[in-house]
Amino acid sequence: MTKDRKLIFAGNWKMNKTVAEALDLVRGLKIELANIKEADIVVCPPFTALSEVSKAILDSNIRLGAQDMSPNNVGAFTGEIAAVMLKEFSVRYVILGHSERRQYQKESDELIAKKAAASHAASLKPIVCVGETLSERDGGNTQQVLETQIRGSLAGLNKDQMTETIIAYEPVWAIGTGKTATSDQAEEAHRFIRQLLGQVFDETVARKVRIQYGGSVKPSNARELMSQPDVDGALVGGASLESRSFADIIKNSIG
Ligand code: PEP
């Protein structure tokens, strides 16, 4: 089945890679991915490597993303980075509401919605992460959790902004654990999210929004996951830290 949404793969490097290591990784990715046109490819290095990575990918098909941003534009917010600062390095995407930030920085849906609005105001495309924990899944609450996160984290976006927003469905129990959701579990959640977008926005928006799957995606499971009708790419952690595995995830998905 062909999808009319272009697949999008983003590598979330988290708190990994010095500048020299980041450049090494990008050198490998540029070679491995040079001819790929069928998918959007994004790398999200730590803030400290954005400047150098930005220069290194100028002549490539790889785009730059950040891992977070402030909801504020300027001012006394120690340690924060504003959208306009990311734009200086040609950042195009920003991950918002990753489960690690929800857990360790106690980020709320309300805060994530403010960040999403600020990112659109600066023409950055947000990758908004949602997903249930294992106890929420075991308790039969997956859909309720997803609905709360989707309604809360995307509150206030207009239809055009929503169309340019990417959602990453990342079951928390699958992140960094080696446990991947089955393709049926992923599709069920993605379909639910798309139906919900149809209710909250409209059917046209719902059809256009790209929904990535994230959680222990590897070259060996990518193709099966991407073959699901509502799965439009992947947000990749561990396997994006090595050029061969990230490239193979993409190649296996489109090949
Ligand atoms: C992530 O952190 O977004 C992620 C999906 O990690 P991993 O691929 O390592 O499970």
Side-chain angles (χ1 to χ4, degrees):
M1 142 175 201
T2 33
K3 289 177 204 163
D4 46 13
R5 295 175 296 271
K6 191 174 186 187
L7 293 176
I8 176 166
F9 296 87
N12 175 13
W13 297 359
K14 310 193 185 187
M15 199 173 71
N16 294 289
K17 306 292 179 188
T18 61
V19 171
E21 290 166 348
L23 289 176
D24 241 21
L25 175 50
V26 155
R27 213 167 299 142
L29 287 173
K30 282 172 71 177
I31 296 166
E32 301 262 3
L33 296 169
N35 297 317
I36 308 281
K37 295 185 186 65
E38 300 88 336
D40 288 331
I41 304 165
V42 184
V43 293
C44 304
F47 292 126
T48 46
L50 286 176
S51 172
E52 290 302 315
V53 170
S54 170
K55 287 182 229 161
I57 61 175
L58 263 184
D59 56 346
S60 80
N61 54 350
I62 301 170
R63 300 287 171 260
L64 196 56
Q67 297 176 21
D68 183 37
M69 58 169 264
S70 170
N72 300 294
N73 293 328
V74 66
F77 301 101
T78 302
E80 294 283 275
I81 308 269
V84 66
M85 298 168 180
L86 298 176
K87 299 269 293 184
E88 287 190 296
F89 302 117
S90 305
V91 168
R92 311 255 185 112
Y93 297 85
V94 59
I95 299 171
L96 297 179
H98 190 279
S99 66
E100 286 150 15
R101 295 200 64 84
R102 289 178 184 265
Q103 183 183 353
Y104 303 130
Q105 274 75 34
K106 305 284 176 255
E107 291 201 358
S108 64
D109 291 324
E110 193 186 355
L111 175 66
I112 295 159
K114 284 187 184 147
K115 292 184 180 194
S119 75
H120 279 296
S123 301
L124 288 177
K125 291 186 205 301
I127 299 175
V128 175
C129 303
V130 296
E132 80 287 0
T133 62
L134 189 56
S135 63
E136 288 164 345
R137 174 165 281 268
D138 288 346
N141 297 319
T142 297
Q143 294 193 347
Q144 188 194 318
V145 169
L146 293 179
E147 178 158 359
T148 302
Q149 291 179 340
I150 291 283
R151 286 186 185 277
S153 304
L154 304 172
L157 296 187
N158 63 36
K159 289 178 187 178
D160 288 342
Q161 290 170 330
M162 188 61 233
T163 305
E164 294 298 315
T165 299
I166 294 124
I167 294 176
Y169 167 62
E170 300 207 300
V172 179
W173 48 271
I175 296 178
T177 58
K179 268 192 228 163
T180 318
T182 64
S183 49
D184 285 349
Q185 285 172 325
E187 173 58 21
E188 190 182 9
H190 284 229
R191 197 183 320 119
F192 173 75
I193 291 168
R194 203 176 298 287
Q195 279 165 359
L196 187 57
L197 293 175
Q199 289 167 30
V200 177
F201 296 90
D202 66 29
E203 287 307 321
T204 310
V205 172
R207 255 197 318 277
K208 287 185 180 163
V209 171
R210 294 185 288 181
I211 307 177
Q212 297 176 312
Y213 169 78
S216 298
V217 176
K218 312 183 259 278
S220 57
N221 59 26
R223 191 178 176 83
E224 166 72 13
L225 286 160
M226 296 313 129
S227 70
Q228 300 304 309
D230 288 291
V231 179
D232 307 315
L235 181 55
V236 185
S240 73
L241 297 176
E242 203 259 311
S243 60
R244 175 60 64 83
S245 51
F246 189 55
D248 281 351
I249 285 172
I250 298 168
K251 288 177 189 169
N252 293 353
S253 299
I254 63 177

